[in-house]
Amino acid sequence: MTTNFKTIDEYIALQPEKVILILEEIRETIRNVIPEAEETINYQIPTFKYHGNLVHFAAYKNHIGFYPGASAVETFKDDLINHATSKGTIQFPIDEPIPLDLISKITAFRVKQNLEKKKK
C-alpha cells in the first residue's frame, strides 16, 4: 500500500470496503461540525485543519485511530472509559459501532479551542 497519500479520498479509497464506510462516516461527521475546515493529509493520515490542526483519523487492522489531542482526550475521559486512549489518541474498534455523536462533540470542542487560541 502506498504511503504517500495526497488527499483524504486517496487514503480512504485504498482501505477495505468495511473500513471505507466507517472512514466516510467519520469524515461526514467532522464536516457537519465544521464545513469550512480544510481537508488535508498530515503524517500520512486524514487531517482536518481549522486555524491549525483540528483532528486526525486513521485506519488500522482492528481499530480506527482518532487524534483530537491530549486536552480533548482529558476533557472527554468520562465518555471514553470504554475505549483505549493514550495522551492524544482514541481507539475505536472496527467491529463495534463508531460513536459519531462523541466524535462530533470532540470536534466541536477542538473548533472552540482553536478559535480561542486564534483570539490570543
Side-chain angles (χ1 to χ4, degrees):
M1 181 184 287
T2 184
T3 58
N4 193 22
F5 302 106
K6 303 258 188 279
T7 67
I8 292 178
D9 287 328
E10 189 179 299
Y11 179 94
I12 290 175
L14 292 175
Q15 305 303 320
E17 187 174 335
K18 178 182 178 181
V19 175
I20 288 173
L21 298 174
I22 294 169
L23 295 177
E24 287 291 2
E25 284 182 322
I26 292 170
R27 183 187 199 181
E28 183 178 334
T29 298
I30 296 165
R31 275 251 155 264
N32 286 339
V33 172
I34 185 74
E36 56 271 32
E38 174 192 356
E39 290 189 356
T40 189
I41 296 288
N42 269 0
Y43 311 107
Q44 285 303 300
I45 61 173
T47 301
F48 279 81
K49 289 184 171 186
Y50 184 72
H51 301 292
N53 282 336
L54 196 60
V55 295
H56 311 267
F57 59 95
Y60 297 94
K61 183 177 180 181
N62 297 312
H63 71 276
I64 302 297
F66 185 66
Y67 309 96
S71 62
V73 173
E74 177 62 25
T75 299
F76 290 90
K77 67 183 175 190
D78 291 342
D79 296 309
L80 297 169
I81 56 173
N82 295 320
H83 300 286
T85 62
S86 64
K87 186 176 179 182
T89 305
I90 305 164
Q91 292 182 4
F92 299 120
I94 287 176
D95 60 353
E96 295 177 14
I98 303 296
L100 299 174
D101 287 347
L102 181 57
I103 289 173
S104 182
K105 287 182 204 174
I106 292 171
T107 302
F109 170 81
R110 290 289 299 125
V111 168
K112 184 179 175 191
Q113 275 190 318
N114 281 7
L115 288 173
E116 287 171 359
K117 198 181 336 176
K118 181 185 175 217
K119 288 180 186 177
K120 291 182 179 180

